[in-house]
Amino acid sequence: MIHISRKEHFNAAHKLWNPNWSDEKNFEVFGPCANVNWHGHNFELIVTVKGLPDPETGFVVDLKQLSTLIRRLVIDKVDHKNLNVDVDFMQGKLASCEILVMEFWKILEPAIKEITKYGVLYKLTLYETPRNFVEYFGE
């Protein structure tokens, strides 16, 4: 089994805030991430597809097509945006990396099936900082 990955970058702002909690509880739980005026990150998204190579091309997935798909469906919607306010698929959701990566999966998993018959989405890795990241393997 081959695992092939593509890394994309985006910048976005967000605030960790639960509207069902008091201001005090939000600041207690989320600390500076609950800043009323938001805060930003330089995110890295790594999309990993697994499968066996197409016998005619040698590719599990064409990385150019994968990059174009990721940018069109995800990066263009989140880059230089406020995740809490500007991103349609994050409306009404907590803007944590855990929720964000799950939403990315919902978008990318069916789309990747359209560009390869030899691979499937295996894993998403989302770096919020060089030391903080989440991995998601689907449900």
Side-chain angles (χ1 to χ4, degrees), residues 33-51:
C33 294
N35 184 345
V36 177
N37 294 313
W38 321 98
H39 68 282
H41 296 283
N42 300 314
F43 289 92
E44 298 285 349
L45 174 63
I46 302 170
V47 176
T48 302
V49 175
K50 75 172 183 177

Side-chain angles (χ1 to χ4, degrees), residues 97-107 124 136 139:
C97 282
E98 293 89 330
I99 301 296
L100 187 59
V101 79
M102 291 171 67
E103 294 302 312
F104 288 170
W105 184 281
K106 291 177 191 174
I107 294 165
L124 296 178
Y136 187 60
E139 297 203 14

Side-chain angles (χ1 to χ4, degrees), residues 94-129:
L94 295 171
S96 69
C97 282
E98 293 89 330
I99 301 296
L100 187 59
V101 79
M102 291 171 67
E103 294 302 312
F104 288 170
W105 184 281
K106 291 177 191 174
I107 294 165
L108 292 171
E109 193 266 337
I112 288 170
K113 288 179 182 175
E114 298 294 319
I115 63 168
T116 178
K117 60 184 177 180
Y118 293 94
V120 295
L121 183 57
Y122 172 68
K123 175 177 75 168
L124 296 178
T125 305
L126 180 63
Y127 279 85
E128 182 179 59
T129 73

